[in-house]
Amino acid sequence: MTSNMSIRTEFAIRRWRHLVVLIVTVHVCTGDLRYSIPEEMKKGSVIGNIAQDLRIDVRNLQERTARIDSEGNKQYCNINLNTGDLVVNERMDREELCGQKSSCTLNMDVVFENPLELHRVMLDIQDINDNSPSFPNHIINLEIPESAAKGVRFSIEEAHDPDLGTNSVQGYTLAANIHFVLDVRASSDGGKYGELVLENELDREKQDELTLTLISYDGGSPQRSGTVVIQVRVLDANDNVPVFTQSVYKVSLQENSPLDTVVVTVRATDEDEGPNGEVTYEFSHISVKAKTVFGIDRKSGEIKVAGPIDFEDVSSFEIRVNARDGAGLTAHCKVFIEIADLNDNVPQIFIKSLKTPLPENSPAGTEVAIIYIQDKDSDSNSKVKCYVQETAPFKLRPSVKNYFSLITTRELDREGESEYNITLTATDEGIPPLSSSKAIILSVSDVNDNPPAFDEQSYSAYVSENNKPGFSVSRDPDWRQNGTVFYSLVSSEINGVPVSSILSINGETGVIHAVRSFDYEQFRSFKVHVVARDNGSPPLSSNVTVSVYITDQNDNSPQILYPAPSGNSFMTEMVPRAAHAGSLVSKVIAVDADSGQNAWLSYQIAKSTDPGLFTIGLHSGEIRLQRDVAESDSMKQNLVISVKDNGNPSLSTTCAVYLLISDNLADVPELKDMSYEDSTSNLTSYLIIALVSVSTFFLTFIILVVAVRICHRRKPRMFDGAVAIPSAYLPPGYAEVDGVGTLRSSYNYDTYLTTGSRTSDFKFVQSYHDDTFFF
């Protein structure tokens, strides 16, 4: 009764102690914050105010992108950027985080950017009474020989409570019975376990089985407890308990050890013989994680690897092993397994912030990105170095802990390279070292630091004359370069005409159009200046010269300079009857206002009185005798000369050449009656002429005789001189051809007129030539 009262009193005192409110303490030291909080706080609970504790304006939290970086995979806390509160984001279980360690600290970093600033936050997780004591098994089986003497002790497996201090197991109570009392004892590691003390001897014949209830309680508030049933079977003598060779086994095991690797072999001996001395092994107290990793051989006591071992997951294990003899007596030992780290984790690269696009005029040393390197290994295996390729204009500057700043080493040039593929490489110091890489795509934004650039120093455009207004003179899309460019023509005059009345330019595309049609014979080329101006601030500009060349089209027909066009004068040349084949009779002179092959002229006899008598030079226009003049040849010879240029399509014109075959002007009939006689005159005309000729033959004979006598009495008066071609015979604008027409040489001609000529229009013209005959 006294024992029960003392227990109740002790419980009451513990309850009053736990009514004290847990105060969160904050320590600010050299930029680090330490908070003490209870485990199992609800999500959203406020731990403390970061802004106040760091003496930072709350408005700076958002501007500097404040955040929490945790070392593990879980983000246990977050920052409320509006209030500066550090709030719980994930449930924190002290037993899960730290196991049986006396102190449990969760480390995280408060990171500020612009500039980079790091503050360490340490959360001391305080234990609360959230776990009840529990026994390894729900039922404890004891086999006690009836020969057991009074006062014999039987050890009961220790109850386990993951909580610490007063929240862990504080004592045991045994339900009332007549045979046993409970003696609570302290173990070497500070724990408490119970021993059943035989108070009254057993009598198997009276009662061969006993059922006892053992309660384990902790000192938390509210108090928690656990219950186990003890089944006692009364046997005959078994007076020896198994004994381990070591009370504590400590071993080291490398992570990633293969399955079935023997970690350690525990061994216990029992001096009893027979079944009472046969010892079997089993885990008595083991965590859920350890059960998935290790297994024990019941007979040999070998503890083997049964699952994957990862140092980064759990770095150590504590296991309790029972040795039980055939009569049910047990002994206990502890096995501590330390996991040795291997360099099996590649460094991980995290891009915490990235400024892209980056203006090209950013100065050297501009911070581009913040890099965080994490290696889950320990010691030297977790030390990392990070670098970028040497060819890139960037470098890494170590900051705090495993943070690096990626900065520029010089100003960037978007026109040279508008995008960078930056490869980051992180290598740890393990053996062998492990490394990883990560690429960052950084875009460079443009600033107006370049004027518009033309591909060429000058441009040339060729336009056919007679073009339609609106015709595109230039179609060079390469004129549009850096940024948005606007084009305009510089105001000027071409032959006294404003350039705007001749050309126009598309301000967006730079395509030049003709406002009107061009005439090659008026002007053949001109130059204009184009200004390209970008849309920057301030705007930049550049200019270029565009040369426009007018190409000739065959739009002018050949013009006859000699003989004069019909209607101006009536010109006839005399050919002596003694002239021989090849003699120069006359020359047709023609020009073409076009140029090039459009002005290459060719001459042909289109019609003639006697087709076989005369020939004309194809390109010279010289009319020569094809054979000697015969007496039977007609005195009047009419030639139709066709002059054709070499254009496509070809243009042509014709002229009439009148020739008189005679050795004496007295023989010449009335010249004004000469006219072009078509070689294709019909038969009726010839019959009439023949009839007239026969009728007047006699009269003509008499006239000729009289004429001969007169000629002998009086010689003809003749004068010679150079005949200039009248300007009326030249085509319009012929003087502006600049020597590219067809009249390449000067010709001098002599004219002979009879004193008895009845008209001043009668001219005999011949050029000076070695083969020319004068009469």
Side-chain angles (χ1 to χ4, degrees):
M1 187 69 178
T2 301
S3 176
N4 290 337
M5 287 294 295
S6 63
I7 291 173
R8 292 191 185 96
T9 302
E10 185 179 358
F11 285 172
I13 292 172
R14 291 195 182 100
R15 289 192 185 97
W16 281 107
R17 288 176 180 173
H18 286 84
L19 288 176
V20 178
V21 178
L22 179 62
I23 300 175
V24 177
T25 60
V26 181
H27 306 279
V28 179
C29 182
T30 64
D32 291 344
L33 303 177
R34 181 181 290 273
Y35 298 89
S36 180
I37 62 172
E39 63 173 327
E40 303 290 350
M41 291 184 71
K42 293 182 179 180
K43 185 175 181 180
S45 300
V46 177
I47 298 174
N49 192 285
I50 295 293
Q52 293 178 1
D53 297 337
L54 292 178
R55 298 179 178 86
I56 296 176
D57 192 346
V58 175
R59 292 173 294 180
N60 290 338
L61 296 179
Q62 291 184 349
E63 295 175 356
R64 297 183 62 185
T65 319
R67 65 176 181 275
I68 294 293
D69 278 352
S70 301
E71 294 181 350
N73 295 327
K74 288 185 178 181
Q75 186 78 12
Y76 289 101
C77 296
N78 276 332
I79 298 177
N80 188 327
L81 298 180
N82 295 322
T83 63
D85 291 333
L86 180 66
V87 297
V88 176
N89 187 56
E90 291 284 346
R91 183 182 70 89
M92 289 174 278
D93 186 358
R94 190 200 65 81
E95 289 75 24
E96 180 181 350
L97 293 173
C98 303
Q100 295 296 310
K101 293 180 181 179
S102 59
S103 64
C104 183
T105 302
L106 185 62
N107 296 321
M108 59 189 67
D109 296 321
V110 179
V111 181
F112 296 87
E113 297 183 7
N114 300 319
L116 179 63
E117 184 178 352
L118 182 68
H119 295 275
R120 191 71 167 178
V121 177
M122 292 169 282
L123 297 181
D124 292 330
I125 311 301
Q126 302 298 324
D127 183 50
I128 64 173
N129 191 28
D130 59 338
N131 293 284
S132 300
S134 62
F135 291 90
N137 299 299
H138 297 297
I139 298 176
I140 298 176
N141 293 312
L142 293 179
E143 293 181 350
I144 303 175
E146 61 179 355
S147 60
K150 185 178 178 180
V152 174
R153 294 173 175 269
F154 300 93
S155 178
I156 304 300
E157 293 178 347
E158 181 182 352
H160 177 70
D161 191 334
D163 298 325
L164 295 178
T166 58
N167 293 328
S168 64
V169 175
Q170 298 298 312
Y172 300 85
T173 57
L174 181 65
N177 64 91
I178 61 174
H179 293 285
F180 297 94
V181 293
L182 181 66
D183 185 15
V184 179
R185 303 178 68 88
S187 61
S188 59
D189 60 353
K192 293 182 179 181
Y193 66 94
E195 287 185 347
L196 293 181
V197 180
L198 185 61
E199 190 174 49
N200 295 313
E201 294 181 354
L202 300 174
D203 188 354
R204 189 184 66 81
E205 287 73 23
K206 290 182 179 180
Q207 189 176 8
D208 60 348
E209 286 187 358
L210 299 174
T211 300
L212 306 176
T213 302
L214 180 64
I215 300 173
S216 173
Y217 58 87
D218 60 24
S221 178
Q223 190 179 57
R224 294 174 177 270
S225 63
T227 303
V228 66
V229 175
I230 303 175
Q231 292 285 352
V232 179
R233 183 182 175 191
V234 181
L235 301 175
D236 287 338
N238 180 24
D239 54 352
N240 289 291
V241 178
V243 178
F244 280 98
T245 57
Q246 295 177 226
S247 61
V248 177
Y249 294 84
K250 293 183 179 180
V251 294
S252 178
L253 178 66
Q254 283 191 343
E255 66 173 328
N256 301 328
S257 295
L259 298 179
D260 294 331
T261 298
V262 177
V263 180
V264 66
T265 300
V266 296
R267 185 173 179 79
T269 59
D270 194 321
E271 295 181 359
D272 294 326
E273 294 182 354
N276 293 332
E278 294 179 357
V279 179
T280 58
Y281 304 92
E282 63 182 0
F283 293 133
S284 64
H285 174 66
I286 185 171
S287 65
V288 176
K289 179 65 177 177
K291 280 185 179 181
T292 63
V293 176
F294 301 104
I296 189 169
D297 189 299
R298 289 179 57 84
K299 292 185 177 181
S300 66
E302 290 182 345
I303 298 177
K304 297 181 179 181
V305 176
I309 300 175
D310 188 0
F311 172 85
E312 289 71 37
D313 189 8
V314 181
S315 60
S316 64
F317 294 91
E318 178 182 339
I319 302 174
R320 294 192 181 187
V321 179
N322 282 348
R324 185 186 300 273
D325 63 17
L329 300 180
T330 60
H332 313 281
C333 74
K334 288 184 179 181
V335 179
F336 291 99
I337 303 174
E338 293 290 338
I339 307 301
D341 183 36
L342 292 178
N343 191 29
D344 60 341
N345 287 281
V346 175
Q348 293 180 298
I349 303 174
F350 298 95
I351 310 300
K352 293 300 183 179
S353 68
L354 177 63
K355 299 179 179 67
T356 182
L358 186 69
E360 62 176 325
N361 62 346
S362 299
T366 299
E367 186 178 76
V368 177
I370 296 176
I371 314 299
Y372 177 68
I373 312 297
Q374 183 185 56
D375 194 316
K376 293 182 179 180
D377 296 320
S378 62
D379 300 330
S380 61
N381 294 333
S382 64
K383 295 179 180 179
V384 295
K385 296 179 181 178
C386 190
Y387 54 91
V388 296
Q389 64 267 36
E390 296 181 356
T391 56
F394 305 95
K395 69 176 182 179
L396 283 172
R397 181 176 62 195
S399 185
V400 288
K401 202 178 177 182
N402 286 341
Y403 283 88
F404 297 84
S405 294
L406 180 66
I407 61 176
T408 59
T409 58
R410 58 174 172 82
E411 281 195 5
L412 306 180
D413 184 9
R414 189 200 66 84
E415 289 71 32
E417 192 162 0
S418 61
E419 185 177 87
Y420 289 91
N421 191 337
I422 307 170
T423 301
L424 304 174
T425 303
T427 304
D428 62 25
E429 296 182 3
I431 300 176
L434 301 178
S435 63
S436 63
S437 298
K438 191 164 190 174
I440 297 177
I441 305 298
L442 176 66
S443 299
V444 182
S445 61
D446 187 38
V447 297
N448 194 30
D449 58 346
N450 291 284
F454 292 98
D455 286 348
E456 306 291 341
Q457 293 183 352
S458 63
Y459 291 83
S460 297
Y462 295 87
V463 184
S464 297
E465 64 173 330
N466 303 322
N467 59 290
K468 295 181 179 180
F471 177 77
S472 175
V473 175
S474 174
R475 303 178 184 272
D476 192 348
D478 293 333
W479 286 12
R480 189 183 182 106
Q481 292 293 336
N482 303 314
T484 302
V485 180
F486 301 95
Y487 302 91
S488 61
L489 293 173
V490 177
S491 298
S492 62
E493 290 187 353
I494 299 173
N495 293 344
V497 179
V499 68
S500 59
S501 65
I502 298 176
L503 298 176
S504 67
I505 189 169
N506 188 309
E508 295 183 355
T509 64
V511 177
I512 300 177
H513 298 273
V515 175
R516 69 178 190 182
S517 61
F518 300 120
D519 188 358
Y520 176 83
E521 287 70 39
Q522 289 184 357
F523 54 90
R524 302 178 183 181
S525 65
F526 57 89
K527 293 182 179 180
V528 295
H529 298 282
V530 176
V531 176
R533 181 174 288 104
D534 62 24
N535 200 26
S537 180
L540 302 177
S541 64
S542 61
N543 54 49
V544 70
T545 300
V546 180
S547 299
V548 180
Y549 297 95
I550 312 302
T551 59
D552 184 42
Q553 284 189 337
N554 192 29
D555 59 345
N556 291 282
S557 300
Q559 295 204 10
I560 307 298
L561 300 182
Y562 183 83
S566 60
N568 292 342
S569 63
F570 187 77
M571 299 179 63
T572 301
E573 296 194 27
M574 181 175 288
V575 179
R577 285 191 175 274
H580 300 286
S583 297
L584 178 64
V585 173
S586 182
K587 180 177 179 68
V588 177
I589 302 174
V591 295
D592 195 314
D594 296 320
S595 65
Q597 67 176 7
N598 294 330
W600 297 350
L601 302 181
S602 59
Y603 302 85
Q604 292 179 343
I605 298 176
K607 293 182 180 181
S608 66
T609 304
D610 189 345
L613 182 57
F614 299 98
T615 183
I616 189 168
L618 180 62
H619 299 294
S620 65
E622 294 178 346
I623 302 174
R624 296 178 182 274
L625 285 172
Q626 192 171 357
R627 58 177 175 81
D628 295 342
V629 177
E631 290 296 334
S632 59
D633 290 331
S634 174
M635 179 182 297
K636 293 183 293 181
Q637 296 288 331
N638 299 329
L639 303 179
V640 177
I641 306 301
S642 173
V643 183
K644 183 184 297 184
D645 61 26
N646 198 36
N648 186 18
S650 177
L651 300 178
S652 64
T653 187
T654 59
C655 68
V657 177
Y658 304 101
L659 301 176
L660 185 63
I661 301 176
S662 177
D663 292 330
N664 196 328
L665 288 176
D667 298 335
V668 178
E670 182 64 36
L671 293 177
K672 283 190 175 183
D673 294 336
M674 294 182 65
S675 60
Y676 174 76
E677 293 182 2
D678 192 347
S679 61
T680 59
S681 299
N682 56 37
L683 181 58
T684 302
S685 298
Y686 284 108
L687 292 175
I688 295 173
I689 292 173
L691 181 61
V692 173
S693 297
V694 173
S695 302
T696 61
F697 175 78
F698 181 76
L699 183 59
T700 303
F701 177 78
I702 294 174
I703 294 173
L704 288 176
V705 171
V706 174
V708 170
R709 289 180 179 180
I710 293 173
C711 288
H712 282 291
R713 293 177 183 177
R714 184 176 53 187
K715 291 183 178 179
R717 239 177 355 184
M718 307 184 73
F719 65 92
D720 62 337
V723 180
I725 300 172
S727 60
Y729 294 169
L730 297 175
Y734 178 72
E736 298 181 290
V737 177
D738 294 335
V740 297
T742 55
L743 186 57
R744 305 286 181 169
S745 304
S746 299
Y747 292 87
N748 293 324
Y749 297 89
D750 289 335
T751 303
Y752 304 91
L753 297 177
T754 62
T755 57
S757 175
R758 290 174 291 177
T759 175
S760 61
D761 292 333
F762 180 46
K763 300 176 184 179
F764 298 96
V765 183
Q766 282 188 313
S767 65
Y768 288 132
H769 194 278
D770 293 342
D771 297 331
T772 303
F773 294 89
F774 299 97
F775 295 93

